Amino acid sequence: MIRFNCDYLEGTHPRILEALAETNLSQTCGYGEDEYCEAAREVIKKACKCEDAAVHFLVGGTQANLTVIASILRPHQAVLCVKEGHVNAHETGAIEATGHKVMAIEGKDGKISAEQIREQHKLHWGDGAHEHITQPKLVYISNPTELGTIYSKRELEAIRKACDDCNMYLYLDGARLGYGLASKENDLTLEDIAKNCDVFYIGGTKVGALFGEAVVITNKALQEDFRYIIKQKGGMLAKGRLLGIQFFELFKDGLYFEISEHAMKMAELLKSGLSELGYKFYADSPTNQQFVIVADEKLKQLDEKYSYEYQMRYEEKYSVVRFCTSWATKEEHVLALIEDMK
Amino acid sequence: MIRFNCDYLEGTHPRILEALAETNLSQTCGYGEDEYCEAAREVIKKACKCEDAAVHFLVGGTQANLTVIASILRPHQAVLCVKEGHVNAHETGAIEATGHKVMAIEGKDGKISAEQIREQHKLHWGDGAHEHITQPKLVYISNPTELGTIYSKRELEAIRKACDDCNMYLYLDGARLGYGLASKENDLTLEDIAKNCDVFYIGGTKVGALFGEAVVITNKALQEDFRYIIKQKGGMLAKGRLLGIQFFELFKDGLYFEISEHAMKMAELLKSGLSELGYKFYADSPTNQQFVIVADEKLKQLDEKYSYEYQMRYEEKYSVVRFCTSWATKEEHVLALIEDMK
Amino acid sequence: MIRFNCDYLEGTHPRILEALAETNLSQTCGYGEDEYCEAAREVIKKACKCEDAAVHFLVGGTQANLTVIASILRPHQAVLCVKEGHVNAHETGAIEATGHKVMAIEGKDGKISAEQIREQHKLHWGDGAHEHITQPKLVYISNPTELGTIYSKRELEAIRKACDDCNMYLYLDGARLGYGLASKENDLTLEDIAKNCDVFYIGGTKVGALFGEAVVITNKALQEDFRYIIKQKGGMLAKGRLLGIQFFELFKDGLYFEISEHAMKMAELLKSGLSELGYKFYADSPTNQQFVIVADEKLKQLDEKYSYEYQMRYEEKYSVVRFCTSWATKEEHVLALIEDMK
Amino acid sequence: MIRFNCDYLEGTHPRILEALAETNLSQTCGYGEDEYCEAAREVIKKACKCEDAAVHFLVGGTQANLTVIASILRPHQAVLCVKEGHVNAHETGAIEATGHKVMAIEGKDGKISAEQIREQHKLHWGDGAHEHITQPKLVYISNPTELGTIYSKRELEAIRKACDDCNMYLYLDGARLGYGLASKENDLTLEDIAKNCDVFYIGGTKVGALFGEAVVITNKALQEDFRYIIKQKGGMLAKGRLLGIQFFELFKDGLYFEISEHAMKMAELLKSGLSELGYKFYADSPTNQQFVIVADEKLKQLDEKYSYEYQMRYEEKYSVVRFCTSWATKEEHVLALIEDMK
């Protein structure tokens, strides 16, 4: 079975495994206050060109999202995002479980626009009875989005401006950030993201790490007491060093970007291969998730040899399925898949 | 200024004020365990023909909604309702603040259908990854709805059946229940409601009481420890008797139904009067809330003498506004309004 | 049956009932934004000599406590109070239900001291691992306390100083504030309380109102968006005017203080009467709650004619019981009780 | 620097690292539904002699505690434990953040007794006003406790009986379970624990794993929908297999018990060594945590070469400190420490 259903199918990049093995029996203090974490924080701040940022390591994405959001909002404040937003659609009400409404609106290609933020702000504050409605206070975006699309620099800056004008915070979920930054169509840098977001996270789980996400808080007003919230929400790893070791390895010499580029090459190979075969795509994704429209009959045939993620029915005899590439995808597997989809 | 903006503009029906005055200096124990509450519970159970129900008195609607829902759901379970649902649109995230997602879907005329419930159930359980999504477990409806429409007996029974088939609970918000039951188009009785809902509440605040709502729990499995939840959520009135005295007065001899009928007569008078003048309605409401499309110019003129609730822009020079009648509405005021809307 | 078990046995002071009757059919807007509430806010601010305060009206004490506390604290922050504190011992986990730990410590006579606050602060911040423990951020006191004792001006000022030094907020629960202020031993004024607390509430339910508590927020930093939290927690009364009418009546010409003095006279009569009979007291209360040690045999005899609140076993054949007086207590009843306790 | 401050100083047992390396590039589905997790569940159920148990893998202890407790309790229900209980004293209000009070009572040697459970039950239900107080519904114990002590089989069975009689659940936190089971004084087996607890967890983080805890739910009534709660609380690891691989390695052939015995040998060596030198112990711990009373002057000297966990002042010139051994402790280090403590 060759798997394409997601980007967390394997363990970790061999260099990370080596780093874990090398440091395995060294003794450190716990809870992320060790020298490995400190070194990782430094290389990440350098990569973001943001010396004042606070960097924290968490184990997973849902945990990062709920911890960040619970840390920022007062009880009556809500998260604004598109319907497909991970916090709205794939986290079993993790945000609501911390007491906050997710105000989900219809996006375009999985993205929210600056105009929509302004509109929602106006809708809320224009209403005489705004106290009867949750107050949109934090904009949640992911980059790449759930549909594999990415924000341009112009879009991100417009969103930042809208947030400033509306007195709202901007949080970017970068579960697949590496793949977004490595996309041919991308014009954003880590520095741009750090400059425009109040908080964001750099995903490790899906981009070469064994597990782990690096939360970067650039807004100083949001840095206070964040470690308490991590602990309270169950995210403070006793052996915090495990995360430091991994992120140091990923960022000390550009491994994160290098392996992201590999994933993107594989995605482009797949995309162009399937396009040439006449396949159509549900969304025009420039990143590692490809949403392809496939005849059900063809899918049955693929099932014997490949895994993919079923998305939804497209029309009577056609479905949308997702193929993902990753840092670990082998070219021969992509070529085999293209061959078998003929 | 003559006010039509809502149905809680005045204090209370004179008979209730008298009852409060008569009992004022009598001494009772607190927290709803006095003889007045006991008597009120009895007349309500009789009116519902449901001797096994548990009846609890709460001060307001949002409080009733959040207490009932928090009492029933486990953390990962969600409320299913239409977008206009009061718990979704007018309670500042009260349900989310107890940890639960409100799954709001597009209704029709403010109502959810049995088919939609089945569909949502299928969507949830059909998905391989259902554990990544909140589980719809309780259907919330209001009758009348936020648009003034009502459920027919056939519709309610179909919803009950869908809930049974889908292993979901049914909760009816009856903030304006009296007006619904008194509508000409209504074919439901209190007994039907008690038979088909697991929990519902009979609204007092908007139907003649000074304040107060009577929560009726007909499903025995949901009755356990409900008083703890009332207390925890801040809804246990020290002088619980105040609610007992009022609901006894409303239900001992049919006052609740009688004053609801008055409100409906006034609503019909207004509706037919405006129809004759050529006004159009945003929703075809058979109850005490009338949503009328009015020219902005006309509204300016009305503003000097009347209050109404602005709803939204309809088209360039027209708006939707709400006029409400109630137990306290005076015929002369309705006639004056019709006259001034010529 | 003559009842002494609590101070919320009757309805309301006749003047309040009259005010409710007089205004009953006048029409106002809802949710506390009417002219009655505005007038009540003004007389309360004047009584507190604090023009900058924000005044909000809530229905009950638990509701006021949970709304205030949820509004102020971030998720990892906790309430510091004595074990008997109402929020710790009598509210079914209302504070925890909003996500916050109540850190309860052993007080003296129901009171916390400035030294204890400093100690707890030191304990928290001195610990290397403070992030593993909730952060004490708000001191909760009641005046009078659950044992009927009161804070002196010197004590309150010392607590304020400790809170300032420890970067903590001070919140005073004044469910029985009138009785505290009317105590012979009291040297505090409303003004002192407003000056020394960040937030406090003036209890109406137990001091002559039908129901209702007036929350006074003197710290401007804590005033923002408070109405959202009221609504979310279910405490925003549709007919908010009911609370305004009552508090205006209580404060427009000193009724609140006058009826509190009556309660205190009755309490002193009872206390001195029982002292003369040789009864001992569990706590030396200078307010309207008297905690008396009574032989079980005597209690049996009293049961036929009087109600009191059983507190706990004192020694083999003796118990502690509470007798309360209030604005409504009749002198003849107190005298009868003293007579029957001979 | 030789570290004795805790039992999570190093990475993982070499065999686990090997297993992770061997499986690193194999592809599996996510979220704990892979074959490695399945195999690990099987060996754990076999070790517990409890085929009907549900086994779930979580990353850390606080996460396990809050997920289990949130899954079981209704909003008004509370956790009963001793003051030192990890959920009460070291988790930054994680349980309260899910809405539940922790009712902490004074234990003996870090343990709760069956009598205390019965007493608390009686206190709650005996009180007329029990609805004003949180309902104790789940007993939380840890074994070993925070003081290193362990429960005997007789004690555990008595607690089980008390829970049954009081209609309460029993949850055992086994963060250091291996060390407890390997203690000379222990007479409990995994099977006994599975038989007597409704839920418990087998700690991996502190007993040889890289990270991870195995939650075992033996009470079938508590198994439903547990995976939803894991996801909601942020504990569902995308690469769930990482936990399966580790626990399979620990339990497939007794490695868990074997390495625990090593830790216990080291602890006994340390304990007897220090005893012989005349040191006294704050608690008589038969497990891997030793709480020793040491002169401050001596501590200063140790600081140059060793780490330990400072606990508290004992008397003027003496302190209590904790030394921990673990699966990774080297005999030469223990001997060096004893030598240096002469």
Side-chain angles (χ1 to χ4, degrees):
Chain A
M1 174 76 64
I2 302 172
R3 291 183 177 273
F4 285 100
N5 48 301
C6 67
D7 32 21
Y8 38 89
L9 296 161
E10 294 88 1
T12 184
H13 190 278
R15 264 183 53 192
I16 285 178
L17 205 58
E18 276 164 43
L20 288 170
E22 267 166 36
T23 57
N24 190 45
L25 292 180
S26 78
Q27 294 189 319
T28 65
C29 67
Y31 305 116
E33 298 190 307
D34 59 278
E35 57 264 43
Y36 300 117
C37 286
E38 194 44 39
R41 280 192 280 269
E42 286 310 309
V43 289
I44 286 175
K45 288 195 276 185
K46 195 170 285 180
C48 297
K49 297 204 174 108
C50 186
E51 282 307 309
D52 287 344
V55 179
H56 299 274
F57 302 110
L58 291 170
V59 167
T62 296
Q63 195 181 79
N65 289 337
L66 75 88
T67 304
V68 165
I69 291 169
S71 167
I72 294 177
L73 299 182
R74 289 184 63 204
H76 60 297
Q77 295 176 333
V79 178
L80 183 64
C81 70
V82 296
K83 286 197 180 156
E84 298 89 349
H86 206 265
V87 290
N88 186 51
H90 301 293
E91 302 188 354
T92 323
I95 304 309
E96 289 86 354
T98 69
H100 302 285
K101 196 179 190 77
V102 176
M103 297 173 78
I105 60 174
E106 204 69 58
K108 199 168 165 247
D109 296 330
K111 297 194 278 182
I112 199 171
S113 71
E115 287 67 38
Q116 287 182 303
I117 295 166
R118 293 179 191 279
E119 218 173 272
Q120 289 296 318
H121 181 259
K122 202 173 151 191
L123 257 174
H124 179 75
W125 291 101
D127 183 348
H130 56 267
E131 297 151 350
H132 295 237
I133 304 168
T134 50
Q135 186 183 96
K137 184 69 184 175
L138 180 147
V139 174
Y140 165 96
I141 59 175
S142 9
N143 190 49
T145 69
E146 294 298 312
L147 294 180
T149 54
I150 54 176
Y151 286 90
S152 70
K153 190 170 173 182
R154 212 172 52 86
E155 286 171 332
L156 186 64
E157 287 175 346
I159 287 175
R160 172 74 268 166
K161 182 98 182 39
C163 286
D164 283 344
D165 292 348
C166 298
N167 196 19
M168 290 168 76
Y169 297 113
L170 177 58
Y171 169 48
L172 182 148
D173 176 334
R176 295 184 169 96
L177 190 55
Y179 302 139
L181 296 177
S183 164
K184 268 185 182 175
E185 298 189 10
N186 172 62
D187 66 351
L188 280 173
T189 62
L190 254 187
E191 192 183 350
D192 295 329
I193 287 169
K195 223 182 243 170
N196 286 288
C197 298
D198 295 288
V199 190
F200 66 101
Y201 86 79
I202 302 172
T205 299
K206 293 171 178 167
V207 193
L210 200 56
F211 61 89
E213 327 294 328
V215 172
V216 183
I217 311 180
T218 61
N219 182 335
K220 293 200 104 178
L222 302 181
Q223 293 176 1
E224 193 177 2
D225 288 350
F226 191 72
R227 279 174 56 85
Y228 283 88
I229 315 275
I230 297 179
K231 177 64 192 168
Q232 181 184 77
K233 302 307 180 193
M236 191 170 279
L237 206 57
K239 295 174 190 162
R241 68 197 241 164
L242 298 178
L243 295 159
I245 292 163
Q246 294 182 75
F247 273 96
F248 181 69
E249 204 57 36
L250 286 169
F251 279 89
K252 75 175 182 193
D253 59 5
L255 181 62
Y256 189 74
F257 303 102
E258 188 185 304
I259 63 182
S260 294
E261 272 162 31
H262 169 78
M264 287 316 304
K265 265 185 212 148
M266 294 301 101
E268 283 153 24
L269 182 62
L270 179 65
K271 190 179 182 180
S272 63
L274 296 184
S275 290
E276 279 167 28
L277 294 177
Y279 280 97
K280 285 184 188 142
F281 295 81
Y282 178 69
D284 183 20
S285 160
T287 61
N288 75 316
Q289 303 177 79
Q290 294 297 322
F291 299 87
V292 193
I293 299 163
V294 188
D296 295 339
E297 208 170 348
K298 188 74 199 166
L299 285 177
K300 244 187 231 167
Q301 193 185 316
L302 288 179
D303 284 348
E304 291 164 27
K305 201 165 150 194
Y306 302 96
S307 82
Y308 49 81
E309 196 172 280
Y310 190 87
Q311 300 285 307
M312 63 178 123
R313 179 132 308 282
Y314 183 71
E315 48 185 52
E316 213 198 324
K317 295 178 173 176
Y318 286 81
S319 294
V320 181
V321 302
R322 182 181 75 168
F323 297 103
C324 285
T325 63
S326 79
W327 60 275
T329 305
K330 292 178 181 157
E331 186 167 353
E332 68 206 63
H333 287 169
V334 177
L335 294 173
L337 175 62
I338 295 171
E339 183 62 29
D340 285 332
M341 283 188 73
K342 270 185 187 157
Chain B
M1 174 73 65
I2 302 172
R3 291 184 177 273
F4 284 101
N5 49 300
C6 68
D7 32 21
Y8 38 88
L9 296 162
E10 295 88 1
T12 185
H13 190 278
R15 263 182 53 191
I16 285 178
L17 204 60
E18 276 164 43
L20 287 171
E22 266 167 35
T23 57
N24 190 46
L25 291 180
S26 78
Q27 294 189 320
T28 64
C29 67
Y31 304 116
E33 296 192 308
D34 59 278
E35 58 263 42
Y36 300 116
C37 285
E38 194 44 39
R41 280 191 279 269
E42 285 311 310
V43 291
I44 285 175
K45 288 195 276 186
K46 195 170 286 181
C48 297
K49 297 204 173 107
C50 187
E51 283 307 309
D52 288 345
V55 179
H56 299 274
F57 301 109
L58 290 171
V59 166
T62 297
Q63 195 181 79
N65 289 337
L66 76 87
T67 305
V68 165
I69 290 169
S71 167
I72 293 175
L73 298 183
R74 288 185 63 203
H76 60 297
Q77 295 176 332
V79 178
L80 183 64
C81 70
V82 297
K83 285 196 179 156
E84 299 90 350
H86 207 266
V87 290
N88 186 51
H90 302 292
E91 301 188 352
T92 323
I95 303 309
E96 289 86 354
T98 69
H100 303 285
K101 196 179 189 78
V102 176
M103 298 172 77
I105 59 174
E106 204 68 58
K108 197 165 168 248
D109 297 330
K111 296 194 277 183
I112 199 171
S113 70
E115 286 66 39
Q116 287 182 302
I117 294 167
R118 294 179 190 280
E119 218 173 272
Q120 290 296 317
H121 180 259
K122 202 173 150 190
L123 257 174
H124 178 75
W125 291 101
D127 183 347
H130 55 268
E131 296 150 350
H132 295 237
I133 304 169
T134 50
Q135 186 184 93
K137 184 69 184 175
L138 179 146
V139 175
Y140 166 97
I141 58 175
S142 8
N143 191 48
T145 68
E146 294 298 312
L147 294 180
T149 54
I150 55 176
Y151 285 89
S152 70
K153 190 170 173 182
R154 212 172 53 87
E155 286 171 332
L156 186 64
E157 288 175 347
I159 287 174
R160 171 74 268 165
K161 183 97 182 41
C163 286
D164 283 344
D165 292 348
C166 298
N167 196 20
M168 290 169 76
Y169 297 113
L170 178 58
Y171 169 49
L172 182 148
D173 176 334
R176 297 184 168 96
L177 190 55
Y179 303 139
L181 296 178
S183 164
K184 268 184 180 174
E185 296 188 11
N186 173 62
D187 67 350
L188 280 173
T189 62
L190 254 187
E191 193 183 350
D192 295 329
I193 287 168
K195 223 181 246 170
N196 285 288
C197 298
D198 295 288
V199 189
F200 65 101
Y201 85 78
I202 302 172
T205 298
K206 292 170 179 168
V207 193
L210 200 55
F211 61 88
E213 327 295 327
V215 172
V216 183
I217 311 179
T218 60
N219 183 334
K220 293 200 105 177
L222 302 181
Q223 293 176 0
E224 193 176 2
D225 289 349
F226 192 71
R227 279 174 56 84
Y228 284 87
I229 316 275
I230 297 179
K231 177 63 193 168
Q232 181 183 76
K233 302 307 181 192
M236 191 170 278
L237 206 57
K239 296 174 189 163
R241 69 199 241 159
L242 299 177
L243 295 160
I245 292 163
Q246 295 183 76
F247 273 95
F248 181 68
E249 204 58 35
L250 286 169
F251 279 88
K252 75 176 181 191
D253 59 5
L255 181 62
Y256 189 74
F257 302 101
E258 190 183 303
I259 63 180
S260 295
E261 272 162 31
H262 169 77
M264 288 315 305
K265 266 186 211 147
M266 294 302 100
E268 283 153 24
L269 183 61
L270 179 65
K271 189 179 182 181
S272 63
L274 297 183
S275 291
E276 279 166 28
L277 294 176
Y279 280 96
K280 284 185 188 143
F281 296 81
Y282 178 69
D284 183 19
S285 160
T287 61
N288 76 315
Q289 302 177 80
Q290 294 297 322
F291 298 87
V292 193
I293 298 163
V294 188
D296 295 340
E297 208 170 348
K298 188 73 199 168
L299 286 177
K300 245 186 227 166
Q301 193 185 317
L302 288 178
D303 283 347
E304 291 165 26
K305 202 166 149 193
Y306 301 95
S307 81
Y308 49 82
E309 196 172 279
Y310 189 86
Q311 300 286 306
M312 64 177 121
R313 178 132 308 282
Y314 184 70
E315 48 185 51
E316 213 197 323
K317 295 177 173 176
Y318 286 81
S319 294
V320 182
V321 302
R322 182 181 76 167
F323 297 103
C324 285
T325 64
S326 80
W327 61 274
T329 304
K330 293 180 182 157
E331 186 167 354
E332 68 207 67
H333 287 168
V334 176
L335 294 172
L337 175 62
I338 295 172
E339 183 61 29
D340 286 332
M341 285 189 71
K342 270 186 186 157
Chain C
M1 174 73 66
I2 302 173
R3 291 183 177 273
F4 284 101
N5 49 301
C6 67
D7 33 20
Y8 39 89
L9 296 161
E10 295 87 3
T12 185
H13 190 279
R15 264 182 53 191
I16 286 177
L17 205 59
E18 276 164 42
L20 288 171
E22 268 167 34
T23 57
N24 190 45
L25 292 180
S26 78
Q27 293 189 319
T28 64
C29 67
Y31 304 116
E33 298 191 306
D34 60 278
E35 58 263 43
Y36 300 117
C37 286
E38 194 44 40
R41 279 192 279 269
E42 286 311 309
V43 289
I44 285 175
K45 288 195 276 186
K46 194 170 286 180
C48 297
K49 298 204 174 110
C50 186
E51 283 307 309
D52 287 346
V55 180
H56 299 274
F57 301 110
L58 290 171
V59 166
T62 297
Q63 195 181 80
N65 289 337
L66 75 88
T67 305
V68 165
I69 291 169
S71 166
I72 294 176
L73 299 182
R74 289 184 63 204
H76 61 297
Q77 296 176 332
V79 178
L80 183 64
C81 70
V82 297
K83 285 197 181 158
E84 299 90 350
H86 207 266
V87 290
N88 187 51
H90 301 292
E91 302 188 352
T92 322
I95 304 309
E96 290 86 353
T98 69
H100 303 285
K101 196 179 190 75
V102 176
M103 298 173 77
I105 60 174
E106 204 68 59
K108 197 165 168 248
D109 297 331
K111 297 194 277 183
I112 200 171
S113 70
E115 286 67 38
Q116 287 182 303
I117 294 166
R118 293 180 191 280
E119 218 173 271
Q120 289 296 317
H121 180 259
K122 202 174 150 190
L123 257 174
H124 179 75
W125 290 100
D127 183 346
H130 56 267
E131 297 150 351
H132 295 236
I133 304 168
T134 50
Q135 186 185 92
K137 185 68 185 176
L138 179 146
V139 174
Y140 166 97
I141 59 175
S142 8
N143 190 50
T145 69
E146 293 298 310
L147 295 180
T149 54
I150 54 176
Y151 286 88
S152 69
K153 190 170 172 181
R154 212 172 51 87
E155 286 171 332
L156 186 63
E157 287 175 347
I159 287 174
R160 171 75 268 165
K161 182 98 181 41
C163 286
D164 284 343
D165 292 348
C166 298
N167 196 19
M168 291 169 76
Y169 297 114
L170 177 58
Y171 169 49
L172 182 149
D173 176 334
R176 296 184 169 96
L177 189 55
Y179 302 139
L181 296 178
S183 164
K184 268 184 180 176
E185 298 188 11
N186 173 62
D187 67 350
L188 280 173
T189 61
L190 254 187
E191 192 183 350
D192 294 329
I193 287 168
K195 222 182 246 171
N196 285 287
C197 297
D198 295 288
V199 190
F200 66 101
Y201 85 79
I202 302 172
T205 299
K206 292 170 178 168
V207 193
L210 200 55
F211 61 88
E213 327 294 328
V215 172
V216 183
I217 310 179
T218 61
N219 183 334
K220 293 200 104 178
L222 302 181
Q223 292 177 1
E224 193 176 2
D225 289 350
F226 191 72
R227 280 174 55 83
Y228 283 88
I229 315 276
I230 297 179
K231 177 63 192 167
Q232 181 183 77
K233 302 307 180 192
M236 192 170 277
L237 206 56
K239 295 173 189 163
R241 68 198 242 160
L242 299 177
L243 295 161
I245 292 164
Q246 295 183 75
F247 274 96
F248 181 69
E249 204 58 35
L250 285 170
F251 280 89
K252 75 176 181 191
D253 58 7
L255 180 62
Y256 189 74
F257 303 102
E258 189 185 304
I259 64 181
S260 293
E261 273 163 30
H262 169 77
M264 287 316 304
K265 265 187 211 146
M266 295 300 101
E268 284 153 24
L269 182 62
L270 179 66
K271 190 179 182 180
S272 63
L274 295 184
S275 291
E276 278 167 28
L277 293 177
Y279 280 97
K280 285 184 187 142
F281 296 81
Y282 178 70
D284 183 19
S285 160
T287 60
N288 76 316
Q289 303 177 79
Q290 294 297 322
F291 298 87
V292 193
I293 298 163
V294 188
D296 294 340
E297 207 170 350
K298 190 72 199 167
L299 286 178
K300 244 186 230 167
Q301 194 184 315
L302 288 179
D303 283 347
E304 290 164 29
K305 203 166 149 193
Y306 301 95
S307 81
Y308 49 81
E309 196 172 278
Y310 189 86
Q311 299 286 306
M312 63 178 121
R313 178 132 309 281
Y314 184 70
E315 47 185 53
E316 212 197 326
K317 295 177 174 178
Y318 286 82
S319 294
V320 182
V321 302
R322 182 181 75 167
F323 296 103
C324 285
T325 63
S326 80
W327 60 276
T329 304
K330 292 179 181 156
E331 186 167 354
E332 68 206 66
H333 286 170
V334 177
L335 294 173
L337 176 62
I338 295 172
E339 184 61 31
D340 286 334
M341 284 188 72
K342 270 185 187 157
Chain D
M1 174 74 65
I2 302 172
R3 291 183 177 274
F4 284 101
N5 49 300
C6 68
D7 33 20
Y8 37 89
L9 297 162
E10 295 88 1
T12 184
H13 190 277
R15 263 183 53 192
I16 286 178
L17 205 59
E18 276 164 42
L20 287 170
E22 267 167 37
T23 57
N24 189 45
L25 292 181
S26 78
Q27 294 189 318
T28 64
C29 67
Y31 305 116
E33 297 191 308
D34 60 279
E35 58 264 41
Y36 300 117
C37 286
E38 194 43 39
R41 280 191 280 269
E42 285 311 309
V43 289
I44 285 175
K45 289 195 275 186
K46 195 170 286 181
C48 297
K49 297 203 175 111
C50 186
E51 283 307 310
D52 288 345
V55 179
H56 300 274
F57 302 109
L58 291 171
V59 167
T62 296
Q63 194 181 80
N65 289 337
L66 76 87
T67 305
V68 165
I69 290 169
S71 167
I72 293 176
L73 298 183
R74 289 184 62 203
H76 61 297
Q77 295 176 332
V79 177
L80 183 64
C81 70
V82 296
K83 286 195 180 158
E84 298 90 350
H86 207 266
V87 290
N88 186 52
H90 302 292
E91 301 188 353
T92 322
I95 304 309
E96 289 86 354
T98 69
H100 302 285
K101 196 179 190 78
V102 176
M103 298 172 77
I105 59 174
E106 204 68 58
K108 198 167 165 244
D109 297 330
K111 296 194 277 182
I112 200 171
S113 70
E115 287 66 38
Q116 288 182 301
I117 295 167
R118 294 180 191 279
E119 219 171 271
Q120 290 297 317
H121 181 258
K122 202 173 151 190
L123 256 175
H124 179 76
W125 291 103
D127 183 348
H130 56 266
E131 296 150 352
H132 294 237
I133 304 167
T134 50
Q135 187 183 94
K137 184 68 184 173
L138 179 146
V139 174
Y140 166 96
I141 59 175
S142 9
N143 191 49
T145 68
E146 293 298 312
L147 295 180
T149 54
I150 54 176
Y151 286 89
S152 71
K153 190 170 173 183
R154 212 172 52 87
E155 286 171 330
L156 186 63
E157 288 175 347
I159 287 174
R160 172 73 267 165
K161 182 99 182 38
C163 287
D164 283 344
D165 293 348
C166 298
N167 196 20
M168 290 168 76
Y169 297 113
L170 179 58
Y171 169 49
L172 183 148
D173 175 334
R176 296 185 169 95
L177 190 54
Y179 302 140
L181 296 177
S183 164
K184 268 185 181 175
E185 297 189 11
N186 173 62
D187 68 350
L188 280 173
T189 61
L190 254 188
E191 193 183 349
D192 294 330
I193 287 169
K195 224 182 242 170
N196 285 289
C197 298
D198 295 288
V199 189
F200 65 102
Y201 84 78
I202 301 172
T205 299
K206 292 170 179 168
V207 193
L210 200 56
F211 61 87
E213 328 294 328
V215 172
V216 183
I217 311 179
T218 60
N219 182 335
K220 294 200 104 177
L222 303 180
Q223 293 176 0
E224 193 176 3
D225 289 350
F226 191 72
R227 279 174 56 83
Y228 284 87
I229 315 276
I230 297 179
K231 177 64 192 167
Q232 181 183 76
K233 302 307 181 193
M236 191 170 278
L237 206 56
K239 295 174 190 164
R241 69 199 239 160
L242 298 178
L243 295 160
I245 291 164
Q246 295 182 76
F247 273 96
F248 181 68
E249 204 58 34
L250 286 170
F251 279 89
K252 75 175 181 192
D253 59 5
L255 180 62
Y256 189 75
F257 303 102
E258 187 184 306
I259 64 181
S260 294
E261 272 163 31
H262 169 77
M264 288 315 305
K265 265 186 212 149
M266 294 301 101
E268 283 153 25
L269 182 61
L270 179 65
K271 190 179 182 180
S272 63
L274 296 183
S275 291
E276 279 167 28
L277 294 177
Y279 280 96
K280 285 186 188 142
F281 295 81
Y282 177 70
D284 183 20
S285 159
T287 61
N288 76 316
Q289 303 177 79
Q290 294 297 322
F291 299 87
V292 193
I293 298 164
V294 188
D296 295 340
E297 207 170 349
K298 189 74 200 167
L299 286 178
K300 245 187 229 165
Q301 194 185 316
L302 288 179
D303 284 348
E304 291 163 28
K305 201 166 149 194
Y306 302 94
S307 82
Y308 49 82
E309 195 172 280
Y310 189 86
Q311 299 286 307
M312 64 177 121
R313 177 133 309 282
Y314 183 70
E315 47 186 53
E316 214 198 325
K317 295 177 173 176
Y318 286 81
S319 294
V320 181
V321 302
R322 183 181 75 168
F323 296 104
C324 285
T325 64
S326 80
W327 60 275
T329 305
K330 292 179 182 158
E331 185 166 354
E332 68 208 64
H333 287 168
V334 177
L335 293 173
L337 175 62
I338 294 171
E339 183 61 29
D340 286 332
M341 283 188 73
K342 271 188 186 156

